[in-house]
């Protein structure tokens, strides 16, 4: 997974202990007069991804996230582009370093800074804003191309 920082995608790798995607489907129910049970449909999503990482300031993504919480940034200063790359789905039409990916505009919610016997960590959520954009991501050039 990659987070856009100052115009470049940075890997959310070293230091991250958790990146849990939660699509959180939103539903609507309706019961028709001739049926005992209701009919449920998916009407939208309230996407988020929980994160937890060690506070390693030399890692650009972690430093960026910590900066949001430390300076209590709001609005566009606490937002970025987030790309989930599926390394098990290589692009058939592009080079060997290109894979199926989903880009999501996120607000970065920093929930806590924790101290566990001197081991500092940060946790929170990437909260989706808008629709998912499908495309491909080249892991060598770190570029996302929308479908």
């Amino acid at each position: 997974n990659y987070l856009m920082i100052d115009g470049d995608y940075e890997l959310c790798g070293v230091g991250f202990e958790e990146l849990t995607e939660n699509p959180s489907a939103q539903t609507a129910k309706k019961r028709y007069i001739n049926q005992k049970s209701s009919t449920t449909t998916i009407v939208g999503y309230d996407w988020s991804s929980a994160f937890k990482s060690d506070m390693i300031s030399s890692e650009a993504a972690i430093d960026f996230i910590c900066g949001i919480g430390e300076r209590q940034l709001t609005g566009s200063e606490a937002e970025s582009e987030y790309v989930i790359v599926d390394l098990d789905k290589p692009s058939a039409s592009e080079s060997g370093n290109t894979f199926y990916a989903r880009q999501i505009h996120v607000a970065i919610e920093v929930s806590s800074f924790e101290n566990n016997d001197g081991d500092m960590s940060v946790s929170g959520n990437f909260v989706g804003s808008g629709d998912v954009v499908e495309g491909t991501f080249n892991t060598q050039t770190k570029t996302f191309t929308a479908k």
Side-chain angles (χ1 to χ4, degrees), residues 8-61:
D8 295 317
Y9 282 106
E10 298 292 343
L11 179 66
C12 297
V14 171
F16 281 86
E17 297 174 19
E18 178 183 340
L19 282 170
T20 305
E21 186 175 2
N22 302 297
S24 299
Q26 305 297 295
T27 61
K29 291 183 181 186
K30 184 179 256 186
R31 191 181 67 77
Y32 298 102
I33 61 172
N34 66 331
Q35 295 178 334
K36 293 179 188 173
S37 300
S38 62
T39 299
T40 303
T41 59
I42 305 296
V43 295
Y45 290 87
D46 188 14
W47 185 94
S48 67
S49 180
F51 65 81
K52 182 173 184 178
S53 79
D54 292 334
M55 289 176 67
I56 303 173
S57 61
S58 61
E59 291 294 315

Side-chain angles (χ1 to χ4, degrees), residues 89 100-104 131-136 144-147:
K89 296 179 182 175
Y100 171 78
R102 293 171 290 140
Q103 182 186 55
I104 305 164
D131 291 336
V132 172
V133 178
E134 291 184 283
T136 58
F144 176 81
T145 304
K147 196 173 187 180

